């Protein structure tokens, strides 16, 4: 991939004006919309479910990059895909021995499939699945909350995964700003997820541009 894809996380958006926030992202250069789904079990926070994804789908045509930070994702994948998700990423740590079955479930229902790994999970644990998925999300913070500081060692996972599969799309999620984005780009990142950095600076267009 030549162009860096920017996937703003709506976790940092104003949910009272979500349609306007989505439109601002779309009009100011966002490539995808990143939707963080948390269940209060796999991660210590609760966010949104499939009905919100369905509502977002009605107001934008750009890809919805849905990141399921939940236990037992296989129970909810069909709902999220029917709601309009283009990409469904599950956490390897949440599925383990059932990983391939859940990946196949996502693909059979017509969405692109991704695997995400936490900061302490080593890339080699998912090597055998790289041929079956479309992307990997490398968590560069502990999942569960926005606004955390980037863990620099996580960027080193990017070339390790690329060496195993040069065509795999790799996404960095957590603590992304202009400086950490540059580091990820040097390692070969394809997609950057940013929430606080994009929404808190006041100039969404400039923030998105600076990540590229």
């Amino acid at each position: 991939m030549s162009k860096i894809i920017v996937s703003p996380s709506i976790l940092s958006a104003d949910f009272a004006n979500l349609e306007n926030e989505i439109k601002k992202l779309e009009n100011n250069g966002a490539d995808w919309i990143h939707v963080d789904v948390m269940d209060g079990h796999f991660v210590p926070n609760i966010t949104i479910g499939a009905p919100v994804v369905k509502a977002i789908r009605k107001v934008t045509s750009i890809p919805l990059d849905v990141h399921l930070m939940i236990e037992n994702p296989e129970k909810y994948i069909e709902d999220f895909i029917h709601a309009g998700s283009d990409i469904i990423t599950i956490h390897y740590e949440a599925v383990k021995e059932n990983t391939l079955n859940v990946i196949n479930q996502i693909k059979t229902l017509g969405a692109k499939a991704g695997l995400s790994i936490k900061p302490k999970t080593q890339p080699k644990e998912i090597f055998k699945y790289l041929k079956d998925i479309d992307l990997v999300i490398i968590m560069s913070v502990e999942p569960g909350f926005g606004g955390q500081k980037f863990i620099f060692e996580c960027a080193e996972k990017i070339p390790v995964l690329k060496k195993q599969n040069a065509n795999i799309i790799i996404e960095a999620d957590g603590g992304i700003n202009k400086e950490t984005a540059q580091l990820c780009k040097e390692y070969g990142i394809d997609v950057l997820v940013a929430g606080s950095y994009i929404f808190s600076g006041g100039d969404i267009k400039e923030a998105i541009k600076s990540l590229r």
Side-chain angles (χ1 to χ4, degrees):
M1 298 174 67
S2 55
K3 176 190 173 186
I4 296 294
I5 290 173
V6 177
S7 186
S9 170
I10 61 162
L11 191 62
S12 299
D14 177 0
F15 272 70
N17 298 285
L18 192 54
E19 179 177 357
N20 289 335
E21 297 279 71
I22 297 293
K23 291 294 185 184
K24 282 194 289 185
L25 293 173
E26 189 170 17
N27 294 334
N28 286 286
D31 301 293
W32 298 351
I33 300 294
H34 190 82
V35 184
D36 290 300
V37 178
M38 307 180 191
D39 63 358
H41 295 283
F42 182 71
V43 293
N45 201 355
I46 298 173
T47 55
I48 62 174
V52 175
V53 173
K54 187 175 182 179
I56 295 169
R57 179 78 290 163
K58 291 177 180 177
V59 300
T60 186
S61 60
I62 64 176
L64 298 185
D65 174 26
V66 177
H67 183 185
L68 301 183
M69 289 176 268
I70 64 176
E71 292 180 355
N72 305 309
E74 65 276 7
K75 294 182 179 180
Y76 308 99
I77 283 166
E78 187 170 358
D79 290 341
F80 279 100
I81 292 178
H82 287 166
S85 306
D86 297 284
I87 304 161
I88 296 280
T89 298
I90 56 172
H91 262 270
Y92 166 69
E93 300 88 357
V95 289
K96 288 292 177 91
E97 289 79 12
N98 199 33
T99 299
L100 191 56
N101 288 335
V102 184
I103 290 168
N104 288 335
Q105 180 188 9
I106 296 168
K107 293 163 71 174
T108 299
L109 289 169
K112 291 185 176 179
L115 270 182
S116 184
I117 54 175
K118 292 182 178 182
K120 292 180 182 177
T121 301
Q122 295 305 308
K124 64 182 180 181
E125 294 191 44
I126 63 166
F127 281 174
K128 63 182 177 181
Y129 302 113
L130 295 181
K131 66 182 184 303
D132 301 303
I133 58 177
D134 298 286
L135 63 88
V136 175
I137 295 180
I138 295 173
M139 291 302 302
S140 39
V141 299
E142 288 294 335
F145 297 95
Q148 297 182 67
K149 289 187 177 180
F150 185 87
I151 301 171
F152 285 88
E153 293 81 4
C154 292
E156 297 171 0
K157 298 178 182 180
I158 300 168
V160 175
L161 289 163
K162 284 286 188 182
K163 186 176 180 181
Q164 292 294 315
N165 183 346
N167 296 317
I168 197 77
I169 295 171
I170 302 183
E171 186 170 334
D173 182 359
I176 299 296
N177 55 36
K178 185 177 180 180
E179 291 73 31
T180 57
Q182 182 58 42
L183 175 68
C184 289
K185 285 185 284 186
E186 290 171 5
Y187 277 111
I189 203 68
D190 301 297
V191 184
L192 293 166
V193 175
S196 304
Y197 177 72
I198 287 175
F199 284 101
S200 63
D203 189 336
I204 288 175
K205 185 174 184 178
E206 183 56 36
I208 291 173
K209 183 180 177 182
S210 72
L211 294 178
R212 292 203 176 93

